[in-house]
Amino acid sequence: RAQTQTQTSPGYVPDSKFYKVEAILRPWRVPQVSSALLKMGIRGVTVSDVRGFGAQGGSTERQGGSEFSEDKFVAKIKMEIVVSKDQVEAVIDKIIREARTGEIGDGKIFLVPVSDVIRVRTGERGEQAERMAGGRADTSVPA
Ligand code: ATP
Ligand code: GLN
């Protein structure tokens, strides 16, 4: 049975200060995921409408979302969340908890090292750029 909790602190390779958690999810689960992330002090999230196929193949969503049975692609949402290394597992756990149905098509999460974060408005880089107003530093929500 798939676990709803991931293992803690694997030695990510390559090592990086920041990682992008890239999650391909069922569209109708995204509001739950994003509000849970917001509650834990995650303020920066990017979402895109994407289409794909995996084990779910061409079978369409039964609970909403656009159907793409002709070309075998299923509508999904890609969520991209850049966080510091010590927030990665909490974010992954939260996504799994809120997005999982246990059925084929729940999606997949990719973890990508990020070299730097640059805030366009100020030119800040690194930790200062990654830190968000209303984020962990402000809300003292544990990672
Ligand atoms: P500012 O303080 O200038 O508002 P900011 O760092 O809060 O800067 P925004 O300019 O508000 O960033 O963000 C623009 C867009 O960048 C957001 O709408 C979101 O799509 C994306 N984004 C920002 N931070 C992150 C992050 N940590 N992970 C993923 N996407 C992010
Ligand atoms: N790590 C940032 C903070 O605690 C939040 C990062 C994010 O919102 N993606 O402020």
Side-chain angles (χ1 to χ4, degrees):
R1 190 87 212 146
Q3 299 296 302
T4 53
Q5 193 154 15
T6 56
Q7 290 115 40
T8 45
S9 307
Y12 306 129
V13 178
D15 187 42
S16 184
K17 272 179 110 161
F18 310 110
Y19 291 87
K20 180 169 73 172
V21 178
E22 184 175 305
I24 313 294
L25 304 172
R26 298 183 193 274
W28 59 276
R29 282 282 175 152
V30 168
Q32 263 173 265
V33 173
S34 56
S35 67
L37 291 174
L38 199 60
K39 274 186 205 137
M40 61 181 283
I42 298 298
R43 292 293 178 274
V45 176
T46 301
V47 296
S48 323
D49 290 306
V50 296
R51 296 185 306 144
F53 64 82
Q56 191 182 10
S59 54
T60 54
E61 286 288 348
R62 276 166 289 173
Q63 305 188 50
S66 305
E67 298 189 335
F68 291 92
S69 48
E70 286 158 44
D71 60 10
K72 307 271 197 277
F73 290 97
V74 181
K76 298 287 178 185
I77 296 282
K78 179 168 71 176
M79 288 187 97
E80 297 170 274
I81 307 138
V82 175
V83 293
S84 59
K85 184 185 190 174
D86 63 353
Q87 290 178 298
V88 167
E89 291 303 313
V91 167
I92 290 172
D93 281 350
K94 195 65 78 176
I95 293 171
I96 292 171
R97 254 173 231 286
E98 301 299 333
R100 184 176 181 279
T101 69
E103 301 289 319
I104 285 169
D106 275 352
K108 205 161 256 186
I109 300 172
F110 306 110
L111 189 55
V112 185
V114 169
S115 300
D116 205 357
V117 180
I118 299 115
R119 178 170 279 125
V120 172
R121 180 172 59 84
T122 58
E124 291 167 301
R125 301 181 76 117
E127 280 169 36
Q128 284 160 299
E130 190 269 347
R131 195 170 300 138
M132 304 283 290
R136 183 174 47 170
D138 293 349
T139 57
S140 52
V141 172

